Amino acid sequence: MTETSSSSGEVRTQSLRQERLTTIGVVIVVAAVFLLPIGLLSFGETFQYSVGPTEIESTYTIRRQKGNAFAIFNRVLVFSDDADYEISNPGYASETVSFVRQSDQRGFDVQLTPLPGFLDVIVTKEFPVSIHIDGEVQTRLEGIELVQGRHVVAVMRGDAELAAYAVDIEGFGNSQEILLDLSAHQAILSVTTRPLAAAIELDGERLGRGMFEGGVPATSHQLRISHAGYDATVIDISLERGQKLVLGTVELTPSLITTTIETRPSNASVLLDGSFVGESSTSFTLRPGRSYELVVRKPGYREHNAMLTPEIGKNISQTIDFEQKTIRVEVHTNPSATVLVNGIPKGTAPIALDVYPGDVIEARSEGLTSQSKQVSDKQGANQSMAFELLEPAAHAYHFADERVTVTGGLEMIRFPPVSYQKSVGVDSDDLMSIEITRPFYLGATEVTVGAFRLYQNSIQGSDKHPVSGISWTDAVGFCNWLSAQHDLLPFYRISPNGVIEGLESTSLGFRLPTEVEWETGAGFDWRRNLVLEPFEWGRSQTIPVAFANLAGRETSKLRSRHFDDFMDNHETEAPVASYLPNVNGLYDMSGNVSEWTHDYYQIRRETNGGPDYLGPRTGFANVVKGSNYETHEIDEVATSYREFETGRSPTLGFRVARWLY
C-alpha cells in the first residue's frame, strides 16, 4: 500500500537532516497509532479500514485527497476535522472514503468494483442486419461498454432472430471482439420478373430490377415485385440455411386503366362493346391488352364511334365535342396500306374521308410500323395526309431524336445501322467487316467529372474535365447507375460484391461502346458512306492545327517528327469539347483521354465477328481506344490503334453508348 499527498510539507528531501527528522516522525506516528488505546487521543483520531476483493488486498493504492491525516498499514490517523482518501487499483473503479472525527464510525470495509469491459462486434456484409446485446439494439458496434460477466449478442433481421451468441466479458477495462459471419446464416434466392424492369424488394429493401440471384438471410421474408402500371405481387417465403430457392419468372398483371369520357354538351350516353356503362363524366375501368368499341350518343347530335386500346400504366381521359365540322381528308400511303379512323377500318389508300377535328387517322400495313395523325381544323375544310410506312428498325431510327441529353448533362448522338469494311490496323493490309444492325446512341463527349460525381461523390477534379483514373468496373457501374436514372433495365449483371457476372444483350440500358462502334464513330462518315483511314481526318500524316489535345510543342515530352509543328491549347487534359468535333459530331475521339470500351482484349482481332459484335465473351483485360494528351507517336492517333488495360490510369476515361431498340 502506498500514499501520495499533494501537501508540500510531506515531500521528501535528500538531506541527511531531513531524513533523520522524517524517521523520527514516522516512529512517532507509528507509536501514536499503536499506542492510541493507551491514551494518545489528543493527537488525533484513528480509523481502521479494509479493502476487497481478496485478490487486490496487497496491490491497491491509497491516496490522500484532502485534510491533515496520515495512513499506514490499514489505519488512518486524522488530525483535522475530516480527511478524504481515494482507494484505487488497476482494472477497478476507484472509491473515495471520508474519515470524519466527529463520526462514531471507526471502521470501513471498502469493496472496489471491477471496471466494465469493451466489446467490438465485427459483422460480415452479406446482407443488412441489426445487432442486439441483452435485448437492446446497438447503434454503434465498436467500443461497446459492458459490465463483467456473460452477455447475449443477437443478430436480428427485422423482428426475426438469425443467431445468438454468448460472450463472457472479462471486464477490468479490457477490450474484446467477436466476429459474426453472416454467410453461415444465409440462403440463396433466385427470381426473374416480367416485365424485366420490375422492382424486386425483400422486406422493403430493394434487391434490383428484372433479375436477382444472391444471398439473403435464412428466415421468413416478404418478397414484393412491382412496376408502374402493374399490380404488385407479394410472396411470403421461408428460407433455411444453405437452401437455394428458385422462384422462376414472376409475371405481373397489368393494372386496370381508369377511363373517363367527357362530352360537350354533357349527359351523353356511353356504351362499351354495346353495353351501357353510364353517362358522360362517369369513370370506369378497362383491362389493357385488348381493344374496346366506344359509342357515345346524344339525341340530336352525331353519334361518336371509336376504338379504345388501353396502354399499360396510362389512364384514359377523353373529351368529345358533338359540335364538330366535317373535314375532307385525302389520304395517301407508301406503300399501299389500310386506313383507319379512330381505330375503325375505312378502306385502302388512296382514300378520301369525311372526318372531324380530333379524329385520329392511322395507316397500317403488315410487317411495317403503323403511323397516325390527328385531324385539326386549323388546316381548313379540305386537307391531304401522306404516310410513309417503314420497317420497325428504320422506323425506330427515323423517328428517334438525333441528339438526346441524359442525366449529368451528357449529350448523345444517334447512329444508324451500317455495314462496311476497313483496315485491321495501320500496318496491315487485312480487311475486317463491320456490320451494325441495331441503331445506337454514342456519347458526344467523354463522361465528365461532374456527371460521374452524381454517381460517386468522392471523385476529384473539375466538373467539365473528363473523368479519368477509374477502372473498367467503375465505368460499368456508372453505366448501370445511369440506366437506373432513366428506368432502363441495366445492361450489366453485377453481383452484390461488385463482380461483373454477365450482361443482358436485350437491354436498352447504358453501356460502354463496343470497339467497332467506337471505330465507327471515329472513322466512318456514315452520311457519305466513306471510311476515313487511318486517322479521323483521313490519310495525311500531318496533324491539323489544334485538332486534338495531344503531346504537342507546348509539352516537354519526347515526340516523333510528326509532332514537331503540332501545338494545342492544353498540357494535360482539357475540358470536354474544347476542340472541334469530327464528321459525326463527336468530340475528343483523338486526344484528351483514352477510353475504355466494352470488349475484352485479344491479340488478334476478329475480322468477321458478325452482326453487332460484342467482342470475346471473357478475358483478363479490356480494350482501350483513342489517343490522349500524352500521345506523341503518330501511329497511336490512328482510329484502329488499340491497347489493353487491367487497372486505372490518369490518361484513361470513357464515354457511354446504348441501343435504340
Side-chain angles (χ1 to χ4, degrees), residues 153-165:
V153 179
V155 182
M156 305 292 292
R157 174 79 174 188
D159 295 330
E161 180 179 285
L162 301 183
Y165 303 84

Side-chain angles (χ1 to χ4, degrees), residues 415-432:
F415 280 79
V418 295
S419 179
Y420 64 96
Q421 287 190 324
K422 65 177 293 294
S423 297
V424 174
V426 176
D427 300 322
S428 174
D429 294 330
D430 294 339
L431 295 178
M432 62 183 297

Side-chain angles (χ1 to χ4, degrees), residues 426 535 550 626-628 630-639 641-643:
V426 176
F535 310 107
L550 301 166
S627 46
N628 58 68
E630 291 188 350
T631 299
H632 55 277
E633 295 291 343
I634 190 65
D635 287 354
E636 296 179 7
V637 188
T639 58
Y641 180 74
R642 63 203 301 264
E643 294 180 339

Side-chain angles (χ1 to χ4, degrees), residues 198-265:
I200 305 172
E201 296 177 332
L202 190 70
D203 302 330
E205 291 186 12
R206 175 71 65 86
L207 296 182
R209 285 184 177 273
M211 177 183 298
F212 174 80
E213 182 169 333
V216 297
T219 183
S220 296
H221 301 282
Q222 189 174 83
L223 182 70
R224 187 175 188 270
I225 313 295
S226 62
H227 190 65
Y230 293 80
D231 295 334
T233 293
V234 176
I235 304 173
D236 291 322
I237 57 176
S238 182
L239 301 172
E240 298 179 357
R241 297 180 184 181
Q243 177 187 1
K244 181 173 183 179
L245 177 61
V246 180
L247 294 180
T249 299
V250 177
E251 185 166 356
L252 299 182
T253 301
S255 300
L256 292 173
I257 303 302
T258 300
T259 304
T260 304
I261 305 297
E262 301 280 356
T263 62
R264 288 192 296 262

